[in-house]
Amino acid sequence: MAEFEPRAICVRDISADDFIKAYAEHLKNSDKFELPVWADTVKTSVAKELAPYGEDWYYIRAASIARKVYLRPGTGVGGLQKWYGGTYRRGTRSEHFRKAASGIIRSVLLQLEEMRVIENVPGGKGRRMTRVGQQDLDRIAGAAYREKFEDE
């Protein structure tokens, strides 16, 4: 009878919520990833009325963006704008879709590039994970997976 051989856990094997919480905590504790001075006043979209209430919203958005780039290489600012966009409610008039703010997404991508987590795709078609970034995200996903299932 063959012995059970545990395989490595990657970002795809863990729920999005658990991974994003773990990676956001990692980014918050990292001294390479900085919170911009405008993070407490900026709205995330035209469709939003107020800025986010949570103090860690920027780190959570950055973790979510890193996960999106991991799962779908070649994703750029425009694609992420569509993903994070929402319905713009205009009172009694009909609702329309509006994209998310590109400045937030671009600043997150630039900081992740400085950390060597992501890189530009040759030819200028979006971003992709670097080898070091993929290993980093897989390591954090594995730690979050073990933390969740050791309790059971």
Side-chain angles (χ1 to χ4, degrees):
M1 184 151 192
E3 288 188 33
F4 175 72
E5 230 177 273
R7 66 181 184 83
I9 302 296
C10 69
V11 175
R12 294 179 192 274
D13 299 330
I14 188 169
S15 70
D17 189 42
D18 294 335
F19 173 75
I20 290 171
K21 284 180 187 173
Y23 194 59
E25 191 65 32
H26 169 76
L27 290 175
K28 188 174 181 182
N29 294 334
S30 171
D31 53 343
K32 295 179 184 176
F33 197 84
E34 298 175 1
L35 189 67
V37 294
W38 44 259
D40 58 341
T41 57
V42 72
K43 297 192 315 180
T44 57
S45 172
V46 174
K48 300 294 181 186
E49 205 168 310
L50 296 170
Y53 287 123
E55 294 178 11
D56 298 339
W57 74 269
Y58 191 77
Y59 300 108
I60 293 169
R61 178 61 59 98
S64 177
I65 287 173
R67 182 178 179 274
K68 284 282 171 208
V69 173
Y70 179 99
L71 295 176
R72 193 167 177 213
T75 303
V77 176
L80 292 169
Q81 274 185 288
K82 284 186 224 168
W83 176 257
Y84 293 110
T87 303
Y88 184 42
R89 298 178 59 181
R90 308 181 317 150
T92 57
R93 295 175 293 172
S94 61
E95 299 173 344
H96 289 289
F97 179 81
R98 290 288 180 259
K99 292 180 181 178
S102 62
I104 296 169
I105 295 169
R106 195 174 302 111
S107 71
V108 166
L109 290 174
L110 289 173
Q111 285 197 47
L112 289 174
E113 279 181 23
E114 289 173 7
M115 291 175 60
R116 305 268 191 259
V117 175
I118 62 173
E119 64 186 1
N120 280 328
V121 172
K125 298 290 182 186
R127 308 285 202 302
R128 68 177 179 198
M129 298 301 293
T130 61
R131 181 171 299 221
V132 175
Q134 184 173 352
Q135 290 171 352
D136 194 31
L137 267 64
D138 287 341
R139 180 181 49 80
I140 291 167
Y145 184 84
R146 284 188 293 280
E147 181 181 310
K148 182 176 181 180
F149 287 107
E150 280 181 359
D151 297 339
E152 292 180 1

